[in-house]
Amino acid sequence: MLERLRAMTKGPAALTVLVLALFWKLAFSGEFVWFDHPDMCYLEIPRLQFQARELHQGHFPLWDPSIWAGQSLIGQTQPGPLFPLNLAFLLLPLEQGYLQAVFLNWYWVVLHLVAAFGCYALCREWGRSRQAAILAGIGFGCGGFLGTVAWLDVAAGAIFTPWILLFLTRAVEQPRKPLANAAVSGLLLGIAWLSGHHEIPLLVTLLVACIWAATRWRLGFVALLVSGLIASLQVLPTIEFGRLSKRWIGVTEPVGWNDPIPYSIATVYSMPARGVLETVLPSANRYADCAPFLGLAIVAMAVLGLAKSEERGRVKWIGVAAAVALLFALGAATPLHGTLYSLLPGLGKARVPVRAIHIFDLGLCLLAAYGLDVMLAQKTGRAMFWSLLGFGACVVFWAIGHPELDDRLLLSGLLAIALAASLRLRPLAVVWIIAAMIEMHGVSTATYSSKFRTDQNKFTRQLENYRDVGEFLRELDRREVVRVDVNDNDVSLNFGDYFGVDSLGGYVAGVPENLINAETHTERMKTILAATHYLSREPARSGQESYLEGKSGVKVFRNPESRPRTWSVHQAIRAATREELKKPIDPHQAALLVGEVPELESCTGDEVKIVSRSPNRVRIDATMRCNGMVILADSYYPGWQVLVDGREERLWEAYGVVRGVVVPGGNHQVEFRFRPRSFYTGLVLFAAGLVLTAALVSLRR
């Protein structure tokens, strides 16, 4: 029993040590970070920070009040607010209320370990040796796409692919418990859809759908049913948000849900032909913040596996899948992507074809495992030796003759010669594993930033530069309700999310159309949305009083015309169209409503104040002299409900952008709460998916 346990853990233990060795900068040094990237520091880390702060305060936020006068946190999707691994990470201890860099680094390492273990397990399932599985696991988990991708949510969506294929294989090939294995495969695919980004899960879904269709489609139906049920938890809120919003995709104007995405965008995010060579040769090039580089050791073994492995059936189909993924990643350079883009509904929303190198890299790593086993069986032949020697010599002479080229090219050439020499001796798997690690280390860790380099950490420093200003405003918010208008030329990150202060704008992928149409940049709309302060180096207009200047030079200005977040009106004016909502009226005297308007009574002397606020709930005490409308200057969005003295009332969209409710005369408690049907429907379907999976796993056959 003990010997069997040792045998089972020997490979994963060795793989763990090797992955940690590759990620030593993040795991052990305390000097480097992986997330010095604009989108990580401006968008994803601030949003993670917001969610972590709320979770530690006992709230599970579905709504984010800190950007764009309030947005659906679950609808925006990034960076995976419902992803189980994210939630576990966010529950780790905070440092003075903020995410710790050391935990962010270790979380990144854990994600890559999950990917490496999955590839290792898949190779062992397919009968590969322990050494071959380790080589493949190192390559997939630490090289290529996963070794270079800069986005947390994109990486998280990719780590489950080999695990999905592992249980798919068991369902197709093993007579025991095929339904259970199909369900687990679907469960893991569904969890990948919770990762916070749709592109990798969409491509993997297409891959596994093709495999199921070619093998056991009835089991495939079960697997895809389970994945759909699990994914509903995130997909339904995403679709709801997407249908209501416009998204910035790289063209001048944002596009809506039903608007076609120009193919020119896919052209921009296609991998150029030189990227094929950069699978073998190291380069500083990145395509949509990722690179295909795996190195000569893995690619050479993949070619050997494809050429000489005796398991022709599986190897052939791995090669076909990898080739199709490569053609897809080349995007506009081949007809394949354009044809699929035109014929498959929804594929255009995966606007970055280069991310298909995730599947291409996985295919090469799996083939490399077959190739290493061929080599260990002494079946390489002389062609392998001369190919490596010739390739290495050419690269070395090329690098020496062009000293301006990347030094990593010279290293690759020397490693090729060393690998050729090793073939003349006793073939050792460890030599190839070490060579692969050396190659990948030079590329995968090249973008890590040192805290001691003044030319690095350009974006991570932004997280600290404004802390004094952020904490001043958060303290002020305890005494009065604050909403800050941020000059994004001076402060680039999502200030509100990171520091826990409501803000008027933010760095996002998409915004609901009602906010875009409302022209939130105008002074009139800033008044309606109760922007109390302005954050910038200089005032935007006269009358703005400076409260504080932070160490970064950014100042906090008080807006002279700022009004409370909530107020009452006793006149409702009908607007025939949304364009008429721009009528020049005093919003604190009358409410503009499109279509039907309620009957209100005329009086003065109301007292309306907010008594408590949390992301999903706002409570107001309203003393009304007569029948009127209470306005809450937070954005209107489906899923918000309003109760007056515990009884649900109609929620009105005032001025086309904020929330209102009719309240009769007298003292009343008004409660706005976020109960999005899309989330709760998704939650029921998610639970159904878990129950179905558990039921199928419990079956004896």
Side-chain angles (χ1 to χ4, degrees):
M1 180 71 178
L2 186 60
E3 287 300 320
R4 183 181 178 187
L5 181 62
R6 286 177 179 173
M8 290 177 58
T9 58
K10 188 175 180 180
L15 182 59
T16 301
V17 170
L18 295 175
V19 171
L20 292 179
L22 264 174
F23 285 104
W24 69 269
K25 289 183 177 180
L26 303 181
F28 308 121
S29 73
E31 176 181 340
F32 296 90
V33 296
W34 62 271
F35 48 84
D36 187 35
H37 182 276
D39 288 330
M40 281 303 305
C41 292
Y42 294 170
L43 188 155
E44 297 209 359
I45 290 178
R47 201 168 287 170
L48 289 169
Q49 171 63 44
F50 162 77
Q51 193 175 5
R53 182 185 295 113
E54 295 300 329
L55 288 173
H56 280 264
Q57 292 176 356
H59 305 140
F60 192 95
L62 305 177
W63 184 259
D64 182 356
S66 300
I67 54 173
W68 282 89
Q71 295 283 284
S72 170
L73 177 69
I74 53 172
Q76 292 177 99
T77 310
Q78 294 174 292
L82 302 172
F83 185 55
L85 295 181
N86 275 3
L87 293 173
F89 158 69
L90 294 174
L91 292 173
L92 294 173
L94 304 178
E95 184 177 20
Q96 297 180 350
Y98 294 91
L99 296 172
Q100 298 191 56
V102 64
F103 289 155
L104 274 166
N105 280 347
W106 269 100
Y107 183 36
W108 191 242
V109 175
V110 167
L111 291 179
H112 289 76
L113 275 170
V114 171
F117 287 152
C119 192
Y120 173 89
L122 180 59
C123 288
R124 295 293 281 163
E125 180 74 18
W126 287 355
R128 297 305 92 214
S129 67
R130 183 183 294 115
Q131 301 98 313
I134 288 174
L135 176 67
I138 285 287
F140 179 69
C142 306
F145 178 83
L146 277 170
T148 55
V149 67
W151 290 61
L152 177 64
D153 49 359
V154 176
I159 63 175
F160 293 107
T161 305
W163 292 104
I164 294 165
L165 295 175
L166 168 63
F167 287 96
L168 186 156
T169 299
R170 290 179 178 177
V172 171
E173 298 182 357
Q174 294 184 6
R176 186 172 179 270
K177 305 192 79 168
L179 283 171
N181 286 307
V184 174
S185 178
L187 172 72
L188 293 170
L189 178 58
I191 292 174
W193 276 98
L194 304 182
S195 63
H197 207 284
H198 62 285
E199 286 179 339
I200 296 296
L202 177 58
L203 296 176
V204 174
T205 300
L206 289 175
L207 171 66
V208 299
C210 290
I211 296 173
W212 285 120
T215 53
R216 302 182 67 176
W217 66 267
R218 290 182 177 85
L219 289 176
F221 175 80
V222 173
L224 294 176
L225 173 63
V226 170
S227 67
L229 292 172
I230 297 298
S232 296
L233 183 65
Q234 180 61 75
V235 170
L236 293 184
T238 298
I239 291 174
E240 178 182 56
F241 183 84
R243 290 185 180 279
L244 295 168
S245 304
K246 289 198 170 182
R247 177 186 177 201
W248 284 270
I249 61 167
V251 294
T252 305
E253 296 296 326
V255 299
W257 180 263
N258 294 318
D259 295 331
I261 296 177
Y263 194 70
S264 59
I265 300 303
T267 303
V268 171
Y269 293 117
S270 298
M271 185 174 74
R274 64 176 176 271
V276 180
L277 292 177
E278 290 168 0
T279 305
V280 182
L281 297 174
S283 169
N285 293 329
R286 295 290 186 272
Y287 310 108
D289 295 316
C290 63
F293 180 76
L294 288 170
L296 176 67
I298 287 179
V299 174
M301 285 294 102
V303 172
L304 181 62
L306 190 61
K308 293 204 170 186
S309 175
E310 295 179 355
E311 296 192 31
R312 302 309 305 159
R314 178 168 286 151
V315 164
K316 177 185 69 176
W317 286 112
I318 295 172
V320 168
V324 171
L326 175 60
L327 291 174
F328 189 96
L330 291 169
T334 76
L336 176 66
H337 180 267
T339 301
L340 295 176
Y341 168 90
S342 302
L343 297 179
L344 296 182
L347 188 61
K349 297 189 184 302
R351 60 192 177 99
V352 187
V354 69
R355 286 181 176 150
I357 62 171
H358 160 64
I359 297 173
F360 171 62
D361 284 342
L362 176 59
L364 288 182
C365 292
L366 296 173
L367 290 173
Y370 283 90
L372 188 61
D373 280 343
V374 169
M375 187 197 74
L376 294 177
Q378 305 282 344
K379 298 179 180 179
T380 55
R382 300 183 64 181
M384 186 74 170
F385 167 78
W386 288 112
S387 298
L388 284 171
L389 186 62
F391 178 86
C394 290
V395 171
V396 167
F397 284 120
W398 182 30
I400 292 175
H402 298 82
E404 73 279 3
L405 294 177
D406 196 322
D407 277 349
R408 291 172 295 186
L409 279 173
L410 178 59
L411 179 61
S412 288
L414 294 173
L415 285 171
I417 295 172
L419 291 172
S422 75
L423 293 178
R424 286 301 189 189
L425 304 173
R426 179 186 175 190
L428 294 174
V430 67
V431 173
W432 289 80
I433 292 172
I434 292 174
M437 289 180 62
I438 292 172
E439 289 185 289
M440 286 184 288
H441 181 268
V443 174
S444 297
T445 67
T447 57
Y448 298 165
S449 294
S450 167
K451 65 182 180 182
F452 298 117
R453 291 275 299 270
T454 57
D455 60 329
Q456 295 181 356
N457 281 303
K458 173 183 176 182
F459 304 106
T460 53
R461 278 196 297 269
Q462 301 260 358
L463 300 175
E464 300 298 325
N465 283 349
Y466 314 111
R467 184 173 289 196
D468 52 352
V469 173
E471 292 182 351
F472 167 79
L473 286 168
R474 193 164 67 244
E475 181 62 31
L476 181 64
D477 190 58
R478 293 189 176 99
R479 303 191 299 271
E480 59 178 286
V481 181
V482 169
R483 174 167 286 145
V484 61
D485 176 21
V486 179
N487 180 353
D488 56 14
N489 291 319
D490 292 336
V491 181
S492 300
L493 81 162
N494 277 348
F495 180 91
D497 271 345
Y498 194 71
F499 295 107
V501 179
D502 293 0
S503 66
L504 192 56
Y507 189 81
V508 293
V511 174
E513 283 195 66
N514 63 341
L515 280 164
I516 293 176
N517 295 335
E519 300 178 345
T520 57
H521 62 280
T522 63
E523 295 304 321
R524 171 181 174 273
M525 191 51 62
K526 289 177 182 179
T527 300
I528 290 175
L529 292 171
T532 57
H533 295 79
Y534 178 61
L535 193 60
S536 180
R537 294 183 183 275
E538 300 294 335
R541 58 188 185 278
S542 61
Q544 288 182 325
E545 177 186 354
S546 176
Y547 264 44
L548 172 78
E549 180 174 352
K551 65 179 183 180
S552 64
V554 170
K555 301 173 184 175
V556 179
F557 298 93
R558 177 85 185 195
N559 289 328
E561 75 290 351
S562 63
R563 301 288 188 92
R565 183 76 64 88
T566 185
W567 67 92
S568 64
V569 296
H570 290 273
Q571 182 182 7
I573 300 175
R574 181 181 182 276
T577 64
R578 285 194 168 269
E579 192 62 29
E580 291 186 15
L581 292 171
K582 300 174 184 178
K583 289 179 180 179
I585 66 167
D586 183 351
H588 291 82
Q589 297 298 319
L592 274 171
L593 304 164
V594 174
E596 183 184 358
V597 297
E599 293 185 7
L600 305 179
E601 299 171 351
S602 179
C603 60
T604 59
D606 298 341
E607 294 183 10
V608 181
K609 64 178 181 179
I610 294 175
V611 293
S612 67
R613 295 153 56 217
S614 63
N616 304 333
R617 191 186 305 269
V618 179
R619 290 190 174 98
I620 296 171
D621 279 349
T623 301
M624 308 292 290
R625 300 301 180 187
C626 62
N627 193 52
M629 179 175 284
V630 171
I631 304 292
L632 176 63
D634 290 341
S635 64
Y636 179 94
Y637 189 84
W640 277 101
Q641 302 172 350
V642 59
L643 289 79
V644 178
D645 299 329
R647 179 178 177 180
E648 187 170 351
E649 300 289 348
R650 176 175 175 177
L651 183 67
W652 297 81
E653 186 177 10
Y655 319 106
V657 70
V658 298
R659 306 170 212 156
V661 59
V662 175
V663 180
N667 298 325
H668 302 280
Q669 285 74 49
V670 180
E671 178 182 314
F672 294 87
R673 63 185 187 184
F674 192 46
R675 296 288 187 272
R677 183 177 300 174
S678 60
F679 171 73
Y680 288 101
T681 301
L683 185 61
V684 170
L685 295 175
F686 175 81
L690 292 180
V691 170
L692 177 59
T693 302
L696 293 174
V697 168
S698 66
L699 292 176
R700 293 185 178 181
R701 297 182 61 184

